[in-house]
Amino acid sequence: MEEPSFVGLAEVITQIRTELQQARDTAEGERIGFTVDRVSLEFTVQVHRTGRAGGGLRIGVVTAELGGSVDSGTTHRVQVELEPHDTATGGRVLVTRPPGTGAPGTPGLR
């Protein structure tokens, strides 16, 4: 059986952060925006022990490769709940243009 390809949890969460920031950046000038309250992620992972004595564990998110397969008996489901916040304000993440910049004649729209 061919070894599955793995991605670390930190890499996946970093990509989610990048995607949210990109969505915020692209929303500039849009009339309708969104508030992100929670991000729910569910992964299929495999846990591996490093080869050396005293080594640690490696948790890898299983990625789909063409023609590859993973024995479902060796995988685990992990669910992660993230509550993103704006590091500048401490508030919720808004995927919208900044507050107070609504288009003329549309009070309250951001």
Side-chain angles (χ1 to χ4, degrees):
M1 178 182 301
E2 187 177 320
E3 276 294 309
S5 176
F6 293 102
V7 177
L9 288 171
E11 187 177 345
V12 173
I13 291 171
T14 297
Q15 185 62 34
I16 296 293
R17 179 183 298 114
T18 300
E19 294 286 334
L20 285 171
Q21 183 62 49
Q22 186 178 16
R24 175 188 267 179
D25 293 345
T26 8
E28 189 169 334
E30 294 294 329
R31 191 167 168 194
I32 297 174
F34 304 95
T35 301
V36 180
D37 290 323
R38 179 166 287 147
V39 178
S40 298
L41 308 170
E42 190 169 314
F43 304 104
T44 299
V45 299
Q46 283 191 324
V47 179
H48 296 276
R49 184 172 302 280
T50 57
R52 296 186 169 162
L57 293 176
R58 178 173 176 249
I59 298 174
V61 176
V62 178
T63 61
E65 297 287 331
L66 280 173
S69 64
V70 176
D71 178 8
S72 62
T74 65
T75 61
H76 308 276
R77 303 288 291 171
V78 174
Q79 185 169 350
V80 178
E81 295 282 332
L82 303 174
E83 292 187 22
H85 64 277
D86 186 315
T87 57
T89 67
R92 289 192 233 165
V93 172
L94 301 176
V95 180
T96 182
R97 62 182 137 181
T101 61
T106 56
L109 278 181
R110 298 188 284 183

